[in-house]
Amino acid sequence: MRRKSVVDTLREIRLLSELDDGEIAVVEKNCRWKTYGASEQIIDQHSDSNDIFFVVSGRVRVVNYSLLGREITFDDLEPGGHFGELAAIDGLPRSASVMALEEARIASLPSDQFQRMILSHPKIALKLMKHLAYLVRTSTLRIMDLSTLGANNRVHADLLSLARKVTKDDMTAVIQPIPVHSDVASRVSTTRETVARVMSDLARKGIVERQKDALVVKDLERLEDMVEDVRGE
Amino acid sequence: MRRKSVVDTLREIRLLSELDDGEIAVVEKNCRWKTYGASEQIIDQHSDSNDIFFVVSGRVRVVNYSLLGREITFDDLEPGGHFGELAAIDGLPRSASVMALEEARIASLPSDQFQRMILSHPKIALKLMKHLAYLVRTSTLRIMDLSTLGANNRVHADLLSLARKVTKDDMTAVIQPIPVHSDVASRVSTTRETVARVMSDLARKGIVERQKDALVVKDLERLEDMVEDVRGE
């Protein structure tokens, strides 16, 4: 059987779904294709490239580092996603670094070809605008959380958003794999120690239960209340 | 002499600068025009409108409120600017409120007409994308500052960015009017008291001097060093 991973296609990239097969084939030919190993850097924040990148397989993390080396995570991307669009649009320096979380097959398209494509495909332009609007909205919420919530509350909110992605009955949620404390810390800008403390506290209260390979949110309603009480949603 | 303020024109709106006179006239006719008084709300975060708004005269502030009523400022806009584009693009609820800082003449265009305009004018689409990219970059920097800097350092960084807008010789900067402490506090997510304390401290060190109607940054280089030391720019 032919392995799917060896077929280099952009058919599953959401941003490009409006293109027909002929147009996709042209973009595929204009891309550079590269496989990155786990933890390998794909975009260095201080590089001067301005390609846009498409995640064909694997997962990648958009991340920034403070002067003291503290890691601040902005997004984790799955196959079908894209990154690097800011520099591809405005030509300014990269706003963040991107690294592979696991082996990842990545296609990159030079900025001038990308701009030509969006100028000639208004529907792709509109889709990209919606994506950028989503990034602004996500950032706005994070700025509000950082400005008005304590670290404990931000950990609760992060756990709630993980739970909402997998909940079926609105009562419990099974989060798999168990969230890595340092990942949570990097997403909500706190320390791993704080995350560990908040998780123990939630377990003691019976809101979560750590199982062998999953974190079960047993009282989703209570977790929701805790977040709503401080965010005012 | 005819007063400029009574002529309702969109000619100075930067986002629309690619339109010719005939096209501008059509957009002008499709807009609703309204004058808002100082402190009057233009967009309520909880309203379900999704127009885009153009600032014809006056100044407006994009702002959010925490559950406890704390104000977090996102942007102050001058004539020629626009706001409300997120909901106009994606149809989702408003991400922030907007209020007039002084009497402001505002034109608003319904979302469907706005989308039609950007779909038929790729150059406006690209301009809007660049603006959205700018908003993402600004938010990313703010998230980094909130995640890794203390409140004191964020006040220094805000003061530096005000100074950079007016500096001529790279040595001193005259900021007029004197920054209102509560405005600075709202921009960097801290208290007015912290801003007052940091400003006094800077004055005592001879870095700034408060004059009758201006705040003079006398040692811009030292202020730059203080910000670079923590941000790592």
Side-chain angles (χ1 to χ4, degrees):
Chain A
M1 211 175 94
R2 196 175 175 189
R3 281 189 307 152
K4 203 182 171 210
S5 64
V6 299
V7 185
D8 280 340
T9 173
L10 296 175
R11 197 64 278 178
E12 305 300 320
I13 304 299
R14 287 186 300 278
L15 183 64
L16 307 178
S17 63
E18 306 287 342
L19 296 179
D20 65 33
D21 290 348
E23 290 167 329
I24 279 275
V26 173
V27 180
E28 284 166 356
K29 226 169 51 189
N30 289 332
C31 278
R32 276 179 301 159
W33 295 77
K34 192 172 167 187
T35 301
Y36 295 83
S39 301
E40 197 178 339
Q41 188 134 311
I42 305 172
I43 292 184
D44 173 351
Q45 200 187 342
H46 304 289
S47 73
D48 57 359
S49 84
N50 47 17
D51 293 4
I52 184 167
F53 295 80
F54 305 111
V55 185
V56 178
S57 71
R59 289 190 317 129
V60 307
R61 177 164 291 174
V62 183
V63 74
N64 244 324
Y65 302 93
S66 76
L67 193 60
L68 297 173
R70 189 154 153 200
E71 186 182 294
I72 309 292
T73 295
F74 283 84
D75 213 352
D76 284 352
L77 300 173
E78 311 269 333
H82 65 270
F83 58 92
E85 68 271 33
L86 299 190
I89 290 168
D90 63 20
L92 296 173
R94 295 293 183 186
S95 66
S97 298
V98 180
M99 64 157 188
L101 288 173
E102 57 190 38
E103 189 177 282
R105 185 73 174 155
I106 304 292
S108 63
L109 185 68
S111 155
D112 55 336
Q113 297 188 40
F114 174 63
Q115 288 206 14
R116 225 174 299 143
M117 180 175 75
I118 52 181
L119 286 174
S120 58
H121 291 86
K123 280 187 177 168
I124 298 183
L126 191 59
K127 212 163 195 176
L128 184 61
M129 276 181 235
K130 284 185 181 167
H131 177 75
L132 291 168
Y134 162 79
L135 294 180
V136 177
R137 287 177 182 278
T138 311
S139 303
T140 299
L141 186 60
R142 185 159 179 184
I143 289 168
M144 285 306 289
D145 282 356
L146 282 167
S147 300
T148 63
L149 303 190
N152 292 13
N153 305 128
R154 299 202 302 271
V155 175
H156 296 160
D158 187 71
L159 186 60
L160 179 61
S161 93
L162 294 176
R164 277 185 180 151
K165 283 181 193 162
V166 295
T167 181
K168 289 200 177 78
D169 56 4
D170 279 350
M171 298 301 287
T172 63
V174 179
I175 301 170
Q176 273 177 313
I178 297 174
V180 178
H181 289 181
S182 60
D183 284 355
V184 178
S186 174
R187 280 196 296 269
V188 305
S189 308
T190 187
T191 60
R192 213 175 46 206
E193 292 72 18
T194 298
V195 177
R197 192 172 37 71
V198 174
M199 290 294 187
S200 303
D201 190 51
L202 289 173
R204 205 165 37 238
K205 287 177 177 154
I207 297 173
V208 304
E209 186 179 278
R210 194 187 163 104
Q211 294 181 350
K212 202 183 153 208
D213 60 349
L215 183 73
V216 181
V217 180
K218 296 169 72 183
D219 195 343
L220 192 54
E221 206 178 331
R222 190 146 161 230
L223 184 63
E224 274 172 349
D225 286 347
M226 290 166 80
V227 174
E228 278 165 25
D229 280 353
V230 291
R231 257 196 195 155
E233 282 171 336
Chain B
M1 211 177 94
R2 197 174 174 191
R3 280 190 307 150
K4 204 183 171 210
S5 62
V6 299
V7 185
D8 280 341
T9 174
L10 297 174
R11 197 64 278 178
E12 305 300 321
I13 305 300
R14 286 186 300 278
L15 182 64
L16 307 178
S17 63
E18 306 288 343
L19 297 179
D20 64 33
D21 290 348
E23 292 167 327
I24 279 274
V26 174
V27 180
E28 284 166 357
K29 227 168 52 189
N30 290 332
C31 278
R32 276 179 299 160
W33 294 78
K34 192 172 167 188
T35 302
Y36 295 84
S39 301
E40 197 178 340
Q41 189 135 308
I42 305 172
I43 292 183
D44 173 354
Q45 200 187 341
H46 306 289
S47 73
D48 58 359
S49 83
N50 47 17
D51 294 2
I52 184 168
F53 296 78
F54 305 110
V55 185
V56 178
S57 71
R59 290 190 316 130
V60 307
R61 177 164 293 172
V62 183
V63 76
N64 245 324
Y65 302 92
S66 77
L67 193 60
L68 298 173
R70 190 156 152 198
E71 185 182 297
I72 308 294
T73 295
F74 283 84
D75 214 352
D76 284 352
L77 301 173
E78 312 269 333
H82 65 270
F83 58 93
E85 67 271 33
L86 300 189
I89 290 168
D90 63 21
L92 295 173
R94 295 293 183 185
S95 66
S97 298
V98 181
M99 63 156 188
L101 288 172
E102 57 190 37
E103 189 178 282
R105 186 72 174 157
I106 304 291
S108 62
L109 185 70
S111 155
D112 56 337
Q113 297 188 39
F114 174 63
Q115 289 205 13
R116 224 174 301 142
M117 179 175 77
I118 54 183
L119 285 173
S120 57
H121 290 87
K123 280 188 177 168
I124 297 184
L126 192 60
K127 211 161 195 178
L128 185 59
M129 277 181 232
K130 285 185 181 167
H131 177 74
L132 291 168
Y134 162 80
L135 293 181
V136 177
R137 288 177 182 277
T138 310
S139 303
T140 300
L141 186 60
R142 186 160 176 182
I143 289 168
M144 286 304 290
D145 281 357
L146 282 167
S147 301
T148 63
L149 304 190
N152 291 14
N153 305 129
R154 299 201 302 272
V155 175
H156 296 159
D158 186 71
L159 186 60
L160 180 61
S161 92
L162 294 176
R164 275 183 180 153
K165 284 181 192 161
V166 294
T167 180
K168 289 201 176 77
D169 57 4
D170 279 351
M171 296 303 285
T172 63
V174 179
I175 302 170
Q176 273 176 313
I178 296 173
V180 178
H181 288 178
S182 60
D183 285 355
V184 178
S186 174
R187 280 197 296 269
V188 305
S189 307
T190 188
T191 60
R192 213 176 45 206
E193 291 72 18
T194 298
V195 176
R197 193 172 36 70
V198 173
M199 290 295 184
S200 300
D201 190 52
L202 290 173
R204 206 165 35 240
K205 286 177 176 155
I207 297 172
V208 303
E209 186 180 277
R210 194 186 165 104
Q211 295 182 348
K212 202 183 152 205
D213 60 350
L215 184 73
V216 181
V217 180
K218 295 169 72 181
D219 194 343
L220 192 55
E221 205 179 329
R222 191 147 160 226
L223 183 63
E224 274 171 349
D225 285 347
M226 289 166 83
V227 174
E228 278 166 25
D229 280 353
V230 290
R231 255 195 195 157
E233 280 171 336

